[in-house]
Amino acid sequence: MNLGGTIRLNPLGVCVLIGGCVLIFVYMNFWTSDDISREVSPPDEISLKKLLGVAINAAVLGGEEVRRVNGLENLNQRSKGKTDEGANDPVTDADFLSHCVMLQTLTRAFPNIKIISEEKPRKKCEEAPSVVFDENQLVESYSEIEDMTVKPEDVTVWIDPLDATQEFIEKLLQYVTTMVCVAVKGLPTIGVIHQPFKESKTYWAWVGHSKSPSVKSQVSPQRNIIVSRSHAGEVKNISQIAFGSDIDVTSAGGAGYKVLEVINGNASAYVHVTAIKKWDICAGDALLRSVGGNMTKIDGHELDYSAKSSQFNRGGLIATLQDHLWFIERLQKFYSNEKLSS
Ligand SMILES: *[C@@H]1O[C@H](CO)[C@@H](O)[C@H](O)[C@H]1NC(C)=O
Ligand SMILES: *[C@@H]1O[C@H](CO)[C@@H](O)[C@H](O)[C@H]1NC(C)=O
Ligand SMILES: *[C@@H]1O[C@H](CO)[C@@H](O)[C@H](O)[C@H]1NC(C)=O
């Protein structure tokens, strides 16, 4: 036995061995650092806190465009056709300019989320004035709110660049709003309703997290309902049959405005019986939820605001702060009686 034998090193073997080690080291190192960077910053999770700030700004900046056009000689109004109610569906330069500013504001901060707007402008939005603001500063001003992130594919943003265009043209400016709504998995989660006229007020809420001091809910002292100006006669009749002849019915422009009237105690229910678009109601739905109110179709079901859902709600609408079932049951009875008698 030769216990003291020497190991003979083959120079080629040593090279292969060292080279192999280096390769493994480099490979492991890159692999690990790549893994770590992925953990530290998930590629495209959406911060809802930042989205809240950007949504508020989008609504306010859109409102500034609406005010600017209102000051011009010519609103450049034209018709988009007829609404489902058979009324003229007008549009002005204010609708388009507000749309562009709101869309740009949101897409610049969140290029990878789905945004659905009432307007699809003829002119490209690149031609619209671009407004610059610092998104990081926004996050600072909401620093007391705890953040939450969601997947971009779960987010749908609904924007209404100018709610109550007909009233805007008629200079009934108290009804005019700009709105942004963030739905997460179809649920209304963040709602912003901005009133550019009067004293210019912004109402916002992140359901279950925070809301603006302007959102102060108060239950209406008597049972009264608020309905759309464009088909007030018909709903007045329906309401007096469904809820009793002594119920007070007022009409107003703008779905955003009507929801605010329910929240601030000027109306106990907002009732709508014809088709309505989701960008008209999503922000109000979120605001109502944030104060414990309800918005449903007449059959009592909640609305789905996911991108794959229809942009129309054809199931009618009831929005209340309290006694939701009382309104639903009576309106449902009216509709089932109608069906029986026709
Ligand atoms: C409402 O009812 C009144 C009286 O019953 C009727 O004259 C009127 O045509 C109705 N209006 C609508 C819009 O249905
Ligand atoms: C009800 O509406 C009037 C104007 O129409 C307004 O002055 C008043 O503040 C509103 N009430 C509440 C509780 O907001
Ligand atoms: C109204 O909303 C509350 C809280 O979101 C919910 O618990 C309740 O079931 C809703 N009521 C109706 C009638 O939809």
Side-chain angles (χ1 to χ4, degrees):
M1 281 227 294
N2 181 7
L3 291 172
T6 55
I7 299 165
R8 296 193 50 205
L9 294 173
N10 173 343
L12 184 65
V14 171
C15 278
V16 168
L17 194 68
I18 292 173
C21 284
V22 167
L23 273 181
I24 287 169
F25 177 78
V26 167
Y27 178 75
M28 295 273 293
N29 235 20
F30 270 85
W31 179 268
T32 322
S33 68
D34 190 36
D35 232 24
I36 286 169
S37 75
R38 235 179 291 167
E39 262 170 44
V40 167
S41 61
D44 42 25
E45 288 266 296
I46 302 295
S47 151
L48 286 181
K49 184 168 159 175
K50 179 178 171 189
L51 187 45
L52 168 66
V54 175
I56 294 168
N57 257 268
V60 172
L61 293 174
E64 278 170 20
E65 289 302 296
V66 173
R67 283 173 69 101
R68 197 168 61 76
V69 175
N70 182 57
L72 302 177
E73 197 79 17
N74 183 5
L75 305 179
N76 197 12
Q77 74 193 64
R78 50 234 179 254
S79 178
K80 285 195 286 186
K82 290 242 186 289
T83 65
D84 271 30
E85 295 153 12
N88 179 39
D89 192 8
V91 68
T92 68
D93 278 354
D95 297 72
F96 287 127
L97 290 168
S98 175
H99 158 86
C100 284
V101 166
M102 291 173 79
L103 190 66
Q104 279 176 342
T105 302
L106 283 152
T107 48
R108 205 178 296 125
F110 297 98
N112 56 349
I113 55 174
K114 173 88 180 162
I115 301 171
I116 303 172
S117 170
E118 173 169 18
E119 306 304 335
K120 284 96 202 153
R122 306 152 306 146
K123 282 189 283 178
K124 283 198 200 89
C125 277
E126 286 88 70
E127 292 164 33
S130 100
V131 189
V132 180
F133 69 93
D134 181 5
E135 287 123 23
N136 295 320
Q137 214 180 327
L138 276 171
V139 176
E140 283 305 303
S141 60
Y142 301 98
S143 55
E144 74 282 8
I145 308 172
E146 207 177 307
D147 200 6
M148 195 184 131
T149 60
V150 292
K151 293 198 182 78
E153 61 267 29
D154 290 338
V155 176
T156 309
V157 179
W158 298 82
I159 62 181
D160 192 338
L162 202 178
D163 187 34
T165 303
Q166 180 58 41
E167 287 72 19
F168 175 67
I169 292 165
E170 292 176 40
K171 301 280 182 208
L172 298 168
L173 300 175
Q174 72 273 27
Y175 298 134
V176 172
T177 61
T178 58
M179 295 191 275
V180 181
C181 180
V182 178
V184 178
K185 292 188 173 168
L187 281 173
T189 302
I190 291 172
V192 185
I193 302 183
H194 174 68
Q195 294 185 305
F197 300 102
K198 293 206 300 186
E199 68 262 54
S200 179
K201 242 181 171 173
T202 310
Y203 301 81
W204 59 261
W206 177 6
V207 182
H209 287 250
S210 188
K211 58 186 190 309
S212 59
S214 50
V215 180
K216 287 196 269 296
S217 65
Q218 185 182 321
V219 175
S220 173
Q222 79 270 28
R223 280 223 169 96
N224 57 344
I225 65 167
I226 193 161
V227 303
S228 165
R229 282 176 81 229
S230 49
H231 60 148
E234 186 196 344
V235 187
K236 215 168 234 178
N237 285 3
I238 292 170
S239 298
Q240 287 178 339
I241 298 164
F243 308 125
S245 59
D246 55 349
I247 196 149
D248 187 31
V249 182
T250 53
S251 61
Y257 177 87
K258 289 191 276 285
V259 169
L260 291 178
E261 287 291 276
V262 171
I263 292 175
N264 72 24
N266 270 346
S268 41
Y270 164 28
V271 176
H272 193 92
V273 296
T274 53
I276 190 160
K277 315 288 200 329
K278 291 198 180 149
W279 46 73
D280 284 331
I281 53 180
C282 181
D285 196 337
L287 281 177
L288 262 176
R289 279 169 192 253
S290 79
V291 292
N294 298 80
M295 180 183 284
T296 65
K297 300 182 217 174
I298 290 169
D299 66 10
H301 286 109
E302 291 178 342
L303 287 106
D304 173 13
Y305 299 98
S306 57
K308 63 172 181 357
S309 71
S310 168
Q311 297 183 353
F312 280 92
N313 163 41
R314 298 182 195 279
L317 196 75
I318 305 184
T320 64
L321 204 51
Q322 184 173 287
D323 300 336
H324 200 74
L325 278 178
W326 188 91
F327 286 98
I328 289 186
E329 279 166 3
R330 276 154 190 80
L331 207 51
Q332 280 175 354
K333 212 173 283 168
F334 169 83
Y335 278 102
S336 53
N337 288 346
E338 276 285 285
K339 256 182 219 134
L340 289 176
S341 60
S342 63

